């Protein structure tokens, strides 16, 4: 493993531990120094999201193995207690409560926002710290000091997408497709937030139209939007649906930018977007193209353990486990863990530096992947841009001054 990575990781670990100290304070959920440290893991390991849940779990286990190899026998590693929530909110809540009864110190839970939101009550009621590896909904961490996230929030993602469209691509008029499905909170909220941030940055919302994931023909909605003269079309949809919308927009003659959120990530997008997807881009929390020492160390170990290349789910699982270890090591009650999360300021993540905030969110890079063509003319995905947190807050401040 990279010596540079582990020097930086140990420094971040020491700084985090020094903030609170190691003495217990008789909090509502406490353990003694002799008790084993157990970390609960609640993910969809069966059902429609099983593949994604297993990818996140593989990243968590990769981090655990990296810690074992590089920190040595002198450091006592946590025991992982894994539960399958089948992608159902009610089962996620029940699993967290069962894990609390089994004495876990904290929980990694919530592949989707619906599961993460479902465990909020248990986290507050039991005063049990919960870190979601991948859920993006803003409400996950709101008004609950025991909820945390390892990835970006929809609020940060929306700002980054609007920034990219307005300032990187100089777009002036945006059209937005809004998902009308009852359970499509992620897509609908991201669409509205991105449109609002685009307006905040000086752009204009030219129009919006509704759609459902089950639809196969989006041409009526697209014709209405495209007639408004768009520079950018924002499509917050999941991979297969997003690909079909991109293909049909191009068939209607639209040549401008088509933009999506992290829901586009998946092989189904490239299968559905057609041979000529044109100018298309989407946000993602991890790019394999950074080639930093931290990322190279992660990729080498993950390939050794799993014989495949990690994607965003594995990377976020890995980082969630690393953040969890920093917060729980030598912390003996839930309040210490909570305070340590808030004090993580310089974790050298596999996607760039990670900083936890006082409200449980995470400041991190937002990557913009673009759709390109390989030598055979087939569509492929590559890194197009990186929107760092400081860019967003600096531009937001300048917008308020105008």
């Amino acid at each position: 493993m990279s010596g540079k990575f582990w020097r930086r990781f140990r420094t971040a670990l020491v700084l985090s531990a020094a903030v609170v100290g190691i003495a217990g304070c008789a909090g509502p959920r406490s353990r003694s120094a002799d008790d084993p440290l157990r970390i609960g893991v609640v993910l969809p390991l069966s059902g429609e999201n099983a593949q994604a849940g297993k990818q996140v779990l593989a990243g968590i286990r990769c981090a655990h193995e990296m810690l074992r190899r590089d920190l040595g026998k002198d450091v006592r590693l946590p025991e992982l207690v894994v539960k399958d929530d089948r992608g159902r909110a009610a089962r996620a809540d029940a699993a967290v409560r069962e894990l609390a009864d089994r004495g876990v110190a904290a929980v990694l839970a919530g592949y989707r926002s619906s599961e993460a939101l479902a465990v909020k009550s248990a986290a507050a009621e039991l005063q049990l710290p919960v870190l979601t590896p991948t859920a993006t909904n803003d409400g996950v961490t709101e008004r609950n000091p025991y909820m945390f996230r390892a990835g970006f929030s929809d609020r940060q993602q929306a700002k980054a997408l609007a920034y990219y469209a307005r300032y990187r691509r100089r777009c002036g008029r945006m059209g937005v497709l809004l998902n009308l499905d009852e359970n499509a909170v992620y897509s609908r909220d991201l669409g509205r937030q991105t449109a609002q941030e685009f307006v905040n940055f000086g752009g204009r919302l030219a129009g919006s139209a509704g759609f459902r994931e089950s639809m196969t023909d989006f041409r009526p909605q697209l014709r209405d939007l495209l007639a408004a003269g768009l520079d950018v079309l924002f499509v917050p949809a999941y991979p297969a649906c997003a690909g079909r919308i991109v293909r049909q927009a191009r068939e209607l003659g639209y040549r401008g930018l088509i933009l999506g959120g992290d829901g586009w990530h998946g092989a189904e997008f490239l299968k559905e977007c057609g041979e000529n997807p044109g100018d298309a881009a989407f946000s993602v929390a991890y790019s394999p193209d950074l080639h930093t020492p931290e990322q190279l160390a992660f990729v080498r170990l993950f390939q050794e353990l799993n014989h495949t290349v990690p994607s965003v789910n594995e990377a976020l699982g890995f980082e969630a486990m690393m953040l969890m270890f920093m917060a729980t090591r030598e912390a003996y009650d839930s309040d210490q863990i909570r305070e340590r999360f808030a004090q993580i300021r310089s974790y050298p993540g596999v996607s760039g530096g990670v900083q936890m905030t006082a409200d449980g969110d995470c400041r991190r890079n937002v990557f913009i992947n673009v759709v390109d063509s390989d030598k055979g003319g087939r569509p492929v995905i590559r890194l197009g841009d990186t929107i760092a947190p400081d860019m967003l807050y600096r531009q937001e401040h300048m917008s308020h001054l105008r």
Side-chain angles (χ1 to χ4, degrees):
M1 302 304 157
S2 166
K4 180 179 179 182
F5 174 87
W6 287 109
R7 284 194 297 274
R8 292 178 63 193
F9 176 75
R10 287 190 180 97
T11 299
L13 189 64
V14 169
L15 290 174
S16 174
V19 172
V20 184
I22 63 173
C25 60
R29 298 193 61 81
S30 60
R31 66 184 182 91
S32 72
D34 295 327
D35 292 335
L37 173 60
R38 295 189 179 92
I39 302 299
V41 179
V42 180
L43 291 167
L45 304 177
S46 61
E48 63 179 353
N49 294 313
Q51 180 179 2
K54 290 175 182 177
Q55 289 172 338
V56 175
L57 181 58
I60 291 171
R61 286 180 167 154
C62 179
H64 196 272
E65 175 64 12
M66 184 173 279
L67 289 166
R68 185 190 69 80
R69 293 188 184 189
D70 285 85
L71 297 183
K73 296 180 180 179
D74 294 336
V75 176
R76 190 176 184 181
L77 294 182
E79 172 191 346
L80 300 179
V81 186
V82 181
K83 300 289 292 182
D84 178 13
D85 65 18
R86 302 182 187 176
R88 299 176 184 175
R91 289 190 65 89
D93 175 72
V96 167
R97 294 178 185 277
E98 180 183 337
L99 288 168
D101 290 339
R102 294 178 62 176
V104 299
V107 180
L108 293 160
Y111 166 67
R112 295 187 309 174
S113 293
S114 56
E115 290 100 79
L117 290 167
V119 306
K120 281 186 71 174
S121 294
E125 175 188 333
L126 302 170
Q127 299 189 34
L128 178 66
V130 174
L131 174 68
T132 172
T134 52
T136 60
N137 186 275
D138 295 330
V140 167
T141 56
E142 289 177 350
R143 297 180 298 279
N144 191 325
Y146 292 96
M147 292 295 297
F148 306 88
R149 79 172 89 240
F152 50 55
S153 66
D154 285 340
R155 185 181 299 110
Q156 182 185 357
Q157 181 179 194
K159 285 182 179 179
L161 288 163
Y163 179 96
Y164 175 76
R166 183 75 181 113
Y167 294 105
R168 293 285 207 248
R169 302 299 306 276
R170 303 297 179 184
C171 297
R173 295 170 60 84
M174 174 181 282
V176 179
L177 283 172
L178 296 175
N179 194 326
L180 302 179
D181 291 336
E182 182 179 355
N183 62 348
V185 177
Y186 155 78
S187 297
R188 200 157 43 245
D189 285 356
L190 184 61
R192 290 169 177 162
Q193 286 180 293
T194 302
Q196 184 58 58
E197 294 293 347
F198 186 73
V199 172
N200 292 344
F201 287 145
R204 180 179 175 184
L205 179 61
S208 63
F211 75 99
R212 298 185 185 277
E213 289 274 339
S214 59
M215 294 169 56
T216 57
D217 186 4
F218 304 92
R219 292 175 182 85
Q221 291 85 352
L222 288 169
R223 287 191 183 95
D224 290 342
L225 280 176
L226 300 182
L230 308 180
D231 299 312
V232 54
L233 172 64
F234 186 55
V235 182
Y238 290 104
C241 180
R244 288 192 291 270
I245 292 172
V246 168
R247 174 168 47 81
Q248 291 177 23
R250 298 310 184 199
E251 290 170 353
L252 291 174
Y254 177 63
R255 294 294 176 263
L257 173 63
I258 304 180
L259 196 59
D262 64 331
W264 279 26
H265 176 75
E268 296 90 345
F269 176 81
L270 290 179
K271 292 178 182 177
E272 296 287 346
C273 69
E275 295 181 358
N276 299 296
D279 188 4
F282 61 96
S283 56
V284 69
Y286 169 76
S287 170
D289 298 327
L290 298 183
H291 306 301
T292 61
E294 295 82 8
Q295 186 176 91
L296 293 173
F298 160 61
V299 171
R300 280 196 299 269
L301 180 58
F302 190 89
Q303 288 181 306
E304 176 190 333
L305 297 175
N306 300 279
H307 309 292
T308 187
V309 177
S311 69
V312 61
N313 286 330
E314 292 92 341
L316 287 174
F318 179 91
E319 293 197 327
M321 182 62 210
M322 288 297 197
L323 293 170
M324 181 64 81
F325 181 70
M326 292 177 68
T328 56
R329 184 191 178 215
E330 295 183 348
Y332 297 106
D333 65 58
S334 54
D335 284 338
Q336 286 187 339
I337 295 171
R338 178 176 56 82
E339 291 170 14
R340 285 206 184 158
F341 269 126
Q343 295 296 334
I344 295 174
R345 291 289 181 269
S346 57
Y347 167 63
V350 299
S351 295
V354 171
Q355 175 183 332
M356 301 297 291
T357 65
D359 58 2
D361 279 339
C362 182
R363 294 189 68 190
R364 59 183 300 135
N365 291 330
V366 177
F367 300 101
I368 305 297
N369 279 347
V370 298
V371 183
D372 205 344
S373 299
D374 64 13
K375 293 181 179 179
R378 293 165 298 211
V380 293
I381 303 298
R382 65 171 178 82
L383 176 63
D385 207 340
T386 301
I387 311 297
D390 289 345
M391 295 180 188
L392 302 180
Y393 292 99
R394 183 166 56 249
Q395 189 60 54
E396 182 180 36
H397 177 68
M398 294 300 295
S399 298
H400 289 325
L401 293 178
R402 284 199 290 266

